[in-house]
Amino acid sequence: MKDKKTIITYGTYDMLHKGHMRLLERAKALGDYLIVGVTDENYDRSRGKLNVVENTKKRIKSIESLDFVDKVIVETHKNQKAEDMLEYDVDIFAIGDDWVGAFDYLNEFTHVEYLARTEGISSTKLRAENFDTIKLGIVGLGRGTQAFIDESKFVSNVKINRIYSPDFLAVKKFTKKSDVIKYGHDNYDDFLDTSISAVYIDTALTSHYKLIKEAIKAGKHVLCENPLALHKNELKELLSLAKEEKVLLLSALKTAFLPAFNQLLTELSEGIIGEVKEVRATRTTLYKEKDYPESFMAQGATNILSSYPSLLVNKILGKSKNITFFDQGFEGYDVSNLIVSKHKGGAVGVSRVATGIKSEGDAVISGTKGYVHIPAPWWLTKKFYVHFEDEHKSQTFNYEFDGCGLRYMIAEFSSLIQRGERKSKMLTPSDMVGINRVLLEYNERKNKEKRKIEKRKNG
Ligand code: C2G
């Protein structure tokens, strides 16, 4: 017979309130020793909790400060509850009755007890009372606009009601049809001169720099499709301007914010495959001529696509030291590029992009003890496999998500603004510089070549 009864419970405990405390007190009263599992950010995002305001460290601290809590652990994945129950020899699993039925399967491991939830209080309510909703305006009207709007509906702290595009008729048509966009603008200054506090820019790559600069100067936070700029000094200028104006500037690289992608980075940093020596990632898209004008294609495969493989390479291996390009061109622009970069400790990055050649869009990360394979399309990371010399030890990580993945990025952007933060840990300003180094360097070399040819022609 055990001398003490152990109870376990789990939760996010964002902005710890009376409802949480009452639940924990009653849970403790069921026995002698109370273990509380606090969910980490990545796990919360993977289970659809996108609007948590406090970070894991802060939430753990709040729970640790309660004298009736005996032990705090971190919950990082779906199957952890059963594992914890065996590890801590748990007698009772207690949880609020908003979860009735959901955890019946755990009766196999322990006794499951649903406790009445406290009415009238919730983290959602507190967030709504304490933080303003972010009013966001969309810049550009393209193929991705509707998806962005649809995905933003899953993020509770953001509201989209304005759009800008120089095409007056297109704006008019769009606002008439849309259930959320009420105001359309064909003048950028007028658009910026409204109550919006943030913009999302998705236009031709050549116009990003100018549109971002004006938005920052108007005091707006900016989320913009990558590349933010096409010349080296322009990117640095934008980042320092954002710092000066105290606004957030973030590249809209959705992969960087996906739960599986972040889990992968955690696993790698914990050494799951030893020391990483090579990262290889491919992204190819054959854009249909009827949907995309020649001017889009003329931006070149490297400018259009390289940010994604560069994200993986730079996030894992850090800064690229020297970069070699093996490009194939067509009438002055590249339709494919094999980009090889060197990194700390001699590690090698291989990024392949193409708009004129089709290939397998997967990624392989090789280390001294094993390798990770992310199946195509790796940039919509959901699943990844870890392989070792001994195949029996292989592991699969699975983080399915709904929609097209944009909601995680929109949630991070709006949560940072709400919290008054100006840097995302998932995509820092130095990550953005590192990721863009590849295409900026490529553009610089191309421009030099062009100038040489012109000079020869004229001379
Ligand atoms: N709770 C409550 N009364 C409220 C609000 C919350 O009793 N007014 C309870 C919930 O039922 C839950 C705990 O407080 O048992 C923590 O709630 P959340 O922070 O919302 O966490 P939740 O998403 O319910 O996490 O693995 C995580 C768990 O499955 C539950």
Side-chain angles (χ1 to χ4, degrees), residues 264 267-274 369-370 372 386 388 395 397:
L264 167 71
E267 298 295 338
L268 292 174
S269 68
E270 286 172 1
I272 193 163
I273 55 165
K369 290 185 184 159
V372 174
V386 185
F388 301 97
Q395 290 181 48
F397 290 79

Side-chain angles (χ1 to χ4, degrees), residues 9-14 17 19-20 23 26 39 43 47 49 75 81 95-99 103 116-118 121-122:
T9 188
Y10 298 84
T12 306
Y13 309 106
D14 191 27
H17 57 66
H20 298 140
L23 185 115
R26 280 174 293 150
T39 54
Y43 178 48
R47 66 189 187 110
K49 274 209 167 185
E75 188 183 23
K81 288 187 177 74
I95 194 92
D97 64 2
D98 41 329
W99 290 100
F103 293 112
R117 193 182 149 88
T118 306
I121 177 105
S122 70

Side-chain angles (χ1 to χ4, degrees), residues 408-421:
Y408 300 99
M409 173 181 84
I410 303 170
E412 171 71 353
F413 180 66
S414 55
S415 300
L416 287 169
I417 299 171
Q418 273 193 327
R419 295 197 293 251
E421 291 172 25

Side-chain angles (χ1 to χ4, degrees), residues 59-97:
R59 291 182 284 112
I60 289 175
K61 234 176 161 182
S62 305
I63 299 296
E64 275 173 347
S65 71
L66 304 171
D67 53 14
F68 48 88
V69 173
D70 300 288
K71 186 178 177 64
V72 179
I73 57 171
V74 183
E75 188 183 23
T76 62
H77 57 277
K78 201 174 165 211
N79 301 327
Q80 191 182 318
K81 288 187 177 74
E83 292 161 16
D84 291 341
M85 278 156 201
L86 297 174
E87 181 175 347
Y88 298 107
D89 194 14
V90 169
D91 299 287
I92 299 170
F93 165 63
I95 194 92
D97 64 2

Side-chain angles (χ1 to χ4, degrees), residues 63-217:
I63 299 296
E64 275 173 347
S65 71
L66 304 171
D67 53 14
F68 48 88
V69 173
D70 300 288
K71 186 178 177 64
V72 179
I73 57 171
V74 183
E75 188 183 23
T76 62
H77 57 277
K78 201 174 165 211
N79 301 327
Q80 191 182 318
K81 288 187 177 74
E83 292 161 16
D84 291 341
M85 278 156 201
L86 297 174
E87 181 175 347
Y88 298 107
D89 194 14
V90 169
D91 299 287
I92 299 170
F93 165 63
I95 194 92
D97 64 2
D98 41 329
W99 290 100
V100 147
F103 293 112
D104 288 357
Y105 71 95
L106 290 169
N107 273 309
E108 193 186 315
F109 303 93
T110 188
H111 170 67
V112 177
E113 184 102 26
Y114 297 103
L115 303 173
R117 193 182 149 88
T118 306
E119 291 306 317
I121 177 105
S122 70
S123 305
T124 310
K125 200 169 162 222
L126 287 177
R127 283 194 291 262
E129 283 166 10
N130 287 280
F131 294 97
D132 290 335
T133 302
I134 311 297
K135 280 194 198 159
L136 188 138
I138 294 185
V139 181
L141 190 45
R143 296 171 56 82
T145 311
Q146 194 54 48
F148 188 89
I149 294 168
D150 291 342
E151 284 284 298
S152 75
K153 291 176 187 163
F154 294 91
V155 185
S156 68
N157 55 0
V158 70
K159 191 176 160 199
I160 302 181
N161 62 359
R162 270 177 211 280
I163 196 159
Y164 158 77
S165 166
D167 186 343
F168 174 73
L169 286 178
V171 165
K172 212 171 150 193
K173 202 169 144 200
F174 192 83
T175 40
K176 212 171 160 192
K177 245 186 18 209
S178 174
D179 55 338
V180 291
I181 305 279
K182 293 278 157 284
Y183 311 100
H185 298 259
D186 62 352
N187 179 302
Y188 197 45
D189 288 337
D190 290 348
F191 165 79
L192 291 176
D193 195 22
T194 60
S195 60
I196 52 168
S197 58
V199 296
Y200 164 65
I201 302 174
D202 183 11
T203 58
L205 308 185
T206 42
S207 62
H208 285 177
Y209 166 72
K210 197 168 170 282
L211 292 167
I212 294 172
K213 197 168 164 177
E214 282 179 44
I216 294 176
K217 280 187 167 168

